[in-house]
Amino acid sequence: MEHAPETKSSETMERLLPGQSPVLLPGHTLETITDKIVSIVLRRPVTLGWVGGFAFFFGLLNLMLLAMAWLFIRGTGIWGINVPVGWGFAIVNFVWWVGIGHAGTLISAILLLVKQGWRNSINRFAEAMTLFAVACAGVFPLIHTGRPWLAYWLFPYPNTMGVWPQFRSPLLWDVFAVSTYATISALFWFVGLLPDLATFRDAATNPVAKRIYGLLAMGWRGSARHWKRYESAYVLLAGLAAPLVLSVHTVVSFDFAISIIPGWHTTVFPPYFVAGAIYSGFAMVLVLAIPIRHFYGVQDMMTMRHLDNAAKVMLGTGLIVAYGYSMEAFYAYYSGSLYEWFVLKNRMMGPLAWSYWCLIIFNVLIPQVLWIRKVRLYPPALFCTSVVILFGMWLERFVIVVTSLHRDFLPSSWGMYVATKWDYMTYLGTLGLFFCAMFLFIRLMPMITIFEMRLLVPQSKLSEEAAHD
Amino acid sequence: MTNHGTGDEPKLHGVVAEYTTPDGLLEACNKARAAGYRRMDAYTPYPIEEIADAIGFEKTRVPLLTLCGGILGGLSGYMLQYWVNVSAYPLNIGGRPLHSWPSFIIITFEMTILFAGITAVVGMLTLNGLPQPYHPIFNHPRFASASRDRFFLCIEAADVKFDVADTTRFLQATSAVDVAEVAD
């Protein structure tokens, strides 16, 4: 080769605003990218910090198992739910977890389709986050049925009882929406992993690890023919997953909006649920990305640019959510319905008013600090804001579920909702499940997509003359 | 696999050339194709669309399969709901029609996505012949770097024009850093 491969770097580098950091800090080559990501799993010893963190979250996970065992023995009566509030924590947590998953799909599918190169370093762990969040979400409707061992009745299959599911019910739509979402997310994640597993297979020195990664890589060899079909399938999957980002939380919102309960029966629910999902999802992405880049020293791959962009997405979706709150209030007033108006007043001034005002503070007021560039570029502040948003989004679902149910049409059927320790244990337990899975994922799988990171290196590009031959 | 090679002692898979840059590989692919070679494959650590075109692989059937999968999924989703709600298990809910098509749209949509997605992945793997426990290219001593930073071109012994000495000379004339024979 006559010409050096670096000659084209100026063209492939993106245009940067003053003070903006690039998506990949300069100095990386194909070798360094591969070696760095591989070494996190295959060369780095298990640290005490990892063990400590894993043990903590494993403890939380066991709390969930304990709570669930008691639940299976005694039934859902151990929770705070009762007529009129039949939905309580289980549905609040379900909606919260499903929402968190959405950012992963947005990053991996929609940002791929619109060719946002900055997604390449955060898509893998965001997809893992989606999978684990959907798993946590799936726990709740399952155990909320009271008899989870009969949950397969939800699926249409020929049975000796001669009974079939009711397809006009939004709860059944939800079963299909969430299970499709889980399946497509898992496929997308696995397809993305395939070439990286081959890299792991080739880089592993431990024979057992080599064999396991080899089995998972299914004989991937990077053939040009394979890559072509692979890229085709990957983009198609992204195209198929993109409408799922919008549809899953829409269907979840139908669980509420299709009913006639005041406070739920509004058309603003689908778009505002979707925006809220992406809002909380990006908050979780930051809660994971900020410690990961610190502890694993990948600041050169997950740069300030990623944090900045994620913060901007949160700011944008947060404003849509705020608009949703104001429209909810406006509809209650404009509908002329006594009951809608009462639900709003009850939310703002009733016995659970604290939850409504905390929600406004956490979700609408505090996140406005993200307008300030210094906050977006200071990871600890960004981390705290993200945690606040996650709390806020949890409260949003609490307000929607509980305040609408506890006082609806007839004052004689009003009631109050207080969560029990079993409710809290189950919720904390799913946090344990989620973070345990994340801890294992980081130690066992390439948490940054290696083959897509290679595409960001100037050396990987064809030179102009070669490409036009 | 039929071997049109010279028929010498060890069965050959082909002759493999190694490159350090994508440019070098692309140039070699173009040259090989111009020289009349057809049975060849290139190996790269990341997707390069031009390489697939250069070795003569321009069209994949994955999109068509996916479309078929999606249509099948949508149809079966809708028909299942129609059959269940209208004939197998009709329930009168507030006097609404049994065939309440707006209620069926969501599951039809979900089934479309599900079937299309599964078809895309299974179709891609099947067409690629994966999972594949053994492939002769892995006999190349430095093939592990194909998943790291190196680019390989293999002209297979199954090619009509293949001749060990000629093909080796041909590949040595490109910008390859190494040319080696790989056993089948």
Side-chain angles (χ1 to χ4, degrees):
Chain A
M1 288 303 294
E2 292 81 23
H3 51 95
E6 293 83 16
T7 46
K8 233 192 122 229
S9 59
S10 60
E11 208 265 331
T12 53
M13 285 300 221
E14 8 136 43
R15 294 256 299 277
L16 294 175
L17 300 170
Q20 196 174 25
S21 64
V23 169
L24 177 67
L25 291 190
H28 268 300
T29 62
L30 292 177
E31 303 83 37
T32 59
I33 292 264
T34 311
D35 294 346
K36 179 155 188 175
I37 302 171
V38 163
S39 69
I40 291 172
V41 176
L42 295 179
R43 317 270 185 261
R44 194 184 158 103
V46 176
T47 57
L48 206 62
W50 185 90
V51 174
F54 182 77
F56 174 75
F57 288 112
F58 191 67
L60 282 188
L61 170 61
N62 279 283
L63 217 56
M64 177 181 89
L65 297 180
L66 211 69
M68 272 166 59
W70 190 235
L71 175 78
F72 292 166
I73 296 167
R74 296 295 300 270
T76 48
I78 64 166
W79 289 348
I81 53 171
N82 208 333
V83 175
V85 184
W87 271 13
F89 261 38
I91 303 302
V92 173
N93 297 335
F94 163 70
V95 180
W96 189 71
W97 276 120
V98 174
I100 283 173
H102 279 56
T105 323
L106 181 98
I107 290 170
S108 55
I110 295 185
L111 296 188
L112 175 77
L113 295 177
V114 295
K115 300 204 155 94
Q116 293 292 305
W118 63 277
R119 74 178 260 296
N120 286 12
S121 64
I122 54 171
N123 67 341
R124 171 68 47 71
F125 86 84
E127 283 165 31
M129 176 192 88
T130 296
L131 274 184
F132 305 146
V134 172
C136 292
V139 167
F140 287 104
L142 198 67
I143 58 176
H144 190 246
T145 59
R147 280 182 284 174
W149 50 91
L150 298 179
Y152 63 91
W153 286 6
L154 288 163
F155 290 98
Y157 73 101
N159 55 63
T160 50
M161 302 175 286
V163 186
W164 288 88
Q166 175 52 254
F167 288 109
R168 283 172 288 185
S169 159
L171 297 182
L172 196 66
W173 304 345
D174 218 17
V175 173
F176 278 80
V178 174
S179 54
T180 300
Y181 185 47
T183 314
I184 296 291
S185 303
L187 283 176
F188 201 58
W189 188 65
F190 178 70
V191 168
L193 268 172
L194 201 58
D196 286 0
L197 289 168
T199 299
F200 267 40
R201 168 198 68 203
D202 295 338
T205 42
N206 179 326
V208 178
K210 203 175 184 68
R211 185 143 291 213
I212 292 172
Y213 287 122
L215 274 174
L216 292 173
M218 303 205 294
W220 180 264
R221 54 186 191 272
S223 151
R225 286 183 174 79
H226 290 188
W227 275 123
K228 179 124 182 171
R229 295 193 187 102
Y230 178 89
E231 284 280 275
S232 172
Y234 199 57
V235 172
L236 282 168
L237 266 185
L240 292 166
L244 277 186
V245 179
L246 305 176
S247 74
V248 177
H249 233 55
T250 299
V251 177
V252 170
S253 82
F254 284 165
D255 292 344
F256 300 88
I258 300 286
S259 78
I260 53 160
I261 302 286
W264 288 2
H265 192 55
T266 64
T267 47
V268 78
F269 260 40
Y272 130 73
F273 262 56
V274 172
I278 293 166
Y279 190 36
S280 60
F282 267 88
M284 188 57 100
V285 165
L286 284 176
V287 163
L288 296 170
I290 291 168
I292 285 177
R293 68 195 285 279
H294 176 75
F295 288 115
Y296 287 91
V298 286
Q299 288 99 334
D300 49 348
M301 296 183 186
M302 295 180 201
T303 63
M304 291 313 295
R305 176 77 172 284
H306 295 95
L307 304 189
D308 190 27
N309 283 355
K312 284 176 183 164
V313 174
M314 287 204 302
L315 190 57
T317 48
L319 290 173
I320 300 177
V321 168
Y323 177 75
Y325 299 150
S326 60
M327 279 301 109
E328 253 188 334
F330 174 72
Y331 287 166
Y333 158 75
Y334 199 66
S335 68
S337 157
L338 190 66
Y339 305 105
E340 291 285 346
W341 184 237
F342 173 76
V343 162
L344 183 75
K345 277 200 299 187
N346 184 47
R347 272 185 190 167
M348 291 179 170
M349 292 171 288
L352 293 167
W354 59 269
S355 62
Y356 186 78
W357 295 111
C358 281
L359 149 71
I360 296 294
I361 294 168
F362 288 176
N363 257 4
V364 180
L365 298 182
I366 293 178
Q368 300 310 316
V369 299
L370 296 173
W371 288 100
I372 306 162
R373 205 177 125 76
K374 278 215 172 94
V375 174
R376 293 201 305 270
L377 295 183
Y378 181 56
L382 206 48
F383 184 84
C384 295
T385 316
S386 303
V387 173
V388 165
I389 290 171
L390 283 170
F391 266 115
M393 285 308 297
W394 189 88
L395 279 172
E396 179 200 297
R397 278 67 180 251
F398 180 83
V399 167
I400 290 173
V401 169
V402 177
T403 60
S404 282
L405 283 175
H406 91 121
R407 291 180 170 180
D408 57 1
F409 300 99
L410 275 181
S412 59
S413 64
W414 285 359
M416 193 53 195
Y417 175 75
V418 184
T420 64
K421 64 174 183 236
W422 302 106
D423 283 308
Y424 285 102
M425 277 165 73
T426 317
Y427 173 53
L428 290 176
T430 48
L431 284 173
L433 172 62
F434 177 80
F435 284 104
C436 269
M438 277 316 285
F439 267 75
L440 287 175
F441 161 72
I442 286 171
R443 282 303 318 186
L444 295 174
M445 292 283 170
M447 65 167 162
I448 297 177
T449 317
I450 310 174
F451 85 92
E452 284 180 323
M453 288 305 285
R454 291 185 186 123
L455 293 166
L456 296 179
V457 180
Q459 180 198 352
S460 74
K461 304 284 192 292
L462 289 165
S463 71
E464 216 121 317
E465 314 90 82
H468 291 297
D469 261 355
Chain B
M1 191 186 279
T2 52
N3 193 344
H4 299 284
T6 47
D8 286 356
E9 306 74 45
K11 257 184 102 184
L12 266 190
H13 171 64
V15 177
V16 176
E18 179 180 346
Y19 302 87
T20 52
T21 64
D23 281 357
L25 175 64
L26 181 59
E27 197 195 344
C29 292
N30 283 329
K31 274 188 188 159
R33 195 142 171 88
Y37 290 108
R38 290 294 174 267
R39 303 275 319 238
M40 55 183 160
D41 208 346
Y43 302 90
T44 55
Y46 52 88
I48 309 173
E49 187 143 15
E50 290 83 353
I51 303 276
D53 295 343
I55 61 167
F57 183 69
E58 277 153 12
K59 223 165 150 53
T60 137
R61 281 170 294 164
V62 172
L64 182 68
L65 279 175
T66 308
L67 177 70
C68 295
I71 292 172
L72 182 71
L75 284 179
S76 54
Y78 195 92
M79 277 155 53
L80 171 78
Q81 295 178 81
Y82 180 87
W83 178 73
V84 164
N85 273 24
V86 176
S87 71
Y89 198 66
L91 280 177
N92 186 339
I93 311 277
R96 287 175 186 82
L98 291 174
H99 180 207
S100 305
W101 68 266
S103 301
F104 298 167
I105 295 301
I106 287 165
I107 293 182
T108 306
F109 165 80
E110 299 294 344
M111 288 292 101
T112 309
I113 302 276
L114 183 68
F115 276 52
I118 292 175
T119 318
V121 176
V122 175
M124 179 272 284
L125 291 176
T126 313
L127 291 173
N128 280 349
L130 301 176
Q132 184 173 0
Y134 173 78
H135 191 275
I137 193 74
F138 288 102
N139 292 333
H140 189 285
R142 271 196 320 288
F143 193 70
S145 51
S147 68
R148 185 165 175 263
D149 60 341
R150 289 303 170 98
F151 306 82
F152 294 85
L153 173 65
C154 173
I155 295 183
E156 288 161 19
D159 194 288
V160 195
K161 214 174 158 293
F162 183 85
D163 174 86
V164 183
D166 279 356
T167 308
T168 308
R169 251 196 312 281
F170 168 79
L171 285 172
Q172 274 162 349
T174 63
S175 57
V177 290
D178 173 75
V179 177
E181 293 169 21
V182 169
D184 200 13

